[in-house]
Amino acid sequence: MVPAEFPARRLRRLRRTPALRRLVAEARLGVDDLVAPLFVREGIDAPAPITSMPGEVQHTADSLVLEAKRLVSLGIPGLILFGIPAHKDARGSGAWDPDGVVQVGLRAVRDTVGDELVLMADLCLDEYTDHGHCGVLGPDGTVRNDETLELYGQVALAQAEAGADVVAPSGMMDGQVGAIRSALDGDGREQVAILAYAAKYASSLYGPFREAVDVTIAGGGDRGAYQQDPRNQREALEEISQDVAEGADMVMVKPAMTSLDVLAAARRTVTVPLAAYQVSGEYAMVKAAAEAGWLDGGAVALEQLTVIKRAGADFVLTYFAAEVAEALGG
C-alpha cells in the first residue's frame, strides 16, 4: 500500500522510457554545438600522431583540408586552428607572418570549403616563441603586457587576411580584446569576430596540448602570472565582463569540466554567446581510461559534453567533435 501522505507527483513517471526522457530533456547536445580544434604543422609530409591525445594528429596543409571537408560532411559548424612553426624566435614573429603556418592553413581551408565552416584561429604567441610564453619577455623574464598587445594586433590582421571568421585571443593579457578590436576595425575588418578566452585558468590539464603544439616553457616556468588562479571564481566573472566591455563578440571558459560553476555563473551574467573548451587533459583522461577498459569512452564524452551544455555553454570546443558528431548521426 502507498502511504496516504505520499505525494501525488511522482518524478520518476517522466523517466520511465527513453522516449519520455528525450521529450523532457532540459539540456540537448547536437552537432551544431561542436567546434573541432585542429593542429597544423610546418615542415612535415604526413600527419603526425599526438601520443598523449589518441586519435589526434598534427596535420599537413593537405591533410588539414581533408579533415575540414570531413567536418563539413559531419555537419560540424566550425574549427579552431593552432599552428606549429618550423622556426621560433623571442617575439613569436611566425604568428603574424603572412606565410606563417596558420595563415597558410586558413587560406587552404577557405579555398576548399568556402563558408561551409566557421574558421577560428587561436591568437597567441606561445607556439611561436622560443621561450614558450604567451607574450614578449622583459629583461626580468616576465611577460610585458602592453608590448605584447601590439603584436596581438598584428596577428589578428594576418589571420583575418588569411580568411579567419573569428580570432580567439588566448594569452590572457589585460586589454587584449580592446587592442585587437581596434586593430581590426582600423584596417576595415570590423566583420571579423572575437572569441575571447576570457576565463582561462592556469590548469594542470594542458599537458597533452603542449605536446601537440611542441611548447616547452623556458626554465620550467608556468603561466600563473597571467592565466587565472583556479581558486577564483569572482575574478573570472570580472575578466569576462571586461572582455565584453572591450568588444568581445563571444567569450570562453577553459577548462570546461573543472569550471562548470564559472560557466553557470557566466551564463547568468552575460548575454553574448558563451563557449567552453574541453581541454586536452580532459580528453586524454577519457581516452586512457577507455583504452584500459575502465569506462565507455563514447558514453562518457557524450555525458560530459551534455553537462557542459547544461551548465550554460552555447557551444563546446572539443577533441571529441568528429567522434560525437558521428554518434549523433551528423
Side-chain angles (χ1 to χ4, degrees), residues 2-79:
V2 179
E5 67 275 12
F6 195 90
R9 185 183 183 201
R10 293 176 179 262
L11 296 176
R12 283 183 55 190
R13 286 191 188 113
L14 300 182
R15 304 175 197 150
R16 187 172 55 84
T17 68
L20 272 170
R21 293 194 292 273
R22 292 203 322 271
L23 180 68
V24 300
E26 298 174 28
R28 300 178 188 275
L29 179 70
V31 175
D32 289 345
D33 301 318
L34 306 173
V35 172
L38 299 180
F39 305 97
V40 59
R41 182 167 196 139
E42 202 168 35
I44 58 174
D45 55 15
I50 301 167
T51 305
S52 58
M53 298 175 67
E56 294 297 301
V57 301
Q58 296 171 335
H59 284 284
T60 66
D62 289 340
S63 70
L64 175 67
V65 168
L66 293 176
E67 182 64 9
K69 291 172 67 175
R70 183 169 80 106
L71 297 180
V72 171
S73 73
L74 291 170
I76 292 171
L79 63 81

Side-chain angles (χ1 to χ4, degrees), residues 123 152-161 164-167 177-194 249:
L123 197 167
Y152 283 4
Q154 295 181 50
V155 179
L157 293 179
Q159 293 176 343
E161 173 66 27
D165 298 299
V166 180
V167 296
V177 172
I180 290 166
R181 186 75 271 159
S182 178
L184 289 169
D185 291 356
D187 196 56
R189 300 187 180 278
E190 62 278 351
Q191 294 302 315
V192 176
I194 297 175
D249 300 283

